Amino acid sequence: DEMRNVTLNLFDLKGEAVANLLNETQYSGMKQINIPIPAELSEGIYMLKANINDKQYLKKIIISHW
């Protein structure tokens, strides 16, 4: 398996970075990970940006405190 640099960052809808959630090297392949969301973030819609080596992925997520 190949090692890959993985970062996950959370942005508000204005494009401002609000949290760095993950920054590590991992083996390639599918994974399921649990990432704690900082409690100080307000409920709402955010953009999650994943950088894996030279590729970027962007996903809209909703944070809700229940």
Side-chain angles (χ1 to χ4, degrees):
D1 286 337
E2 187 177 328
M3 297 295 285
R4 303 203 180 258
N5 296 321
V6 179
T7 61
L8 293 176
N9 298 298
L10 203 57
F11 293 84
D12 63 19
L13 293 180
K14 296 181 224 168
E16 296 178 21
V18 295
N20 297 319
L21 304 175
L22 183 71
N23 185 5
E24 60 186 45
T25 302
Q26 297 184 353
Y27 285 105
S28 61
M30 292 289 272
K31 297 194 178 35
Q32 179 176 341
I33 57 174
N34 293 319
I35 300 170
I37 301 296
E40 65 271 8
L41 288 180
S42 302
E43 290 186 339
I45 299 172
Y46 293 85
M47 299 303 293
L48 179 67
K49 183 167 98 171
N51 291 310
I52 303 168
N53 279 357
D54 60 346
K55 295 183 180 179
Q56 287 188 2
Y57 304 90
L58 198 60
K59 182 76 177 173
K60 183 172 29 173
I61 65 169
I62 298 171
I63 293 178
S64 176
H65 304 287
W66 6 313

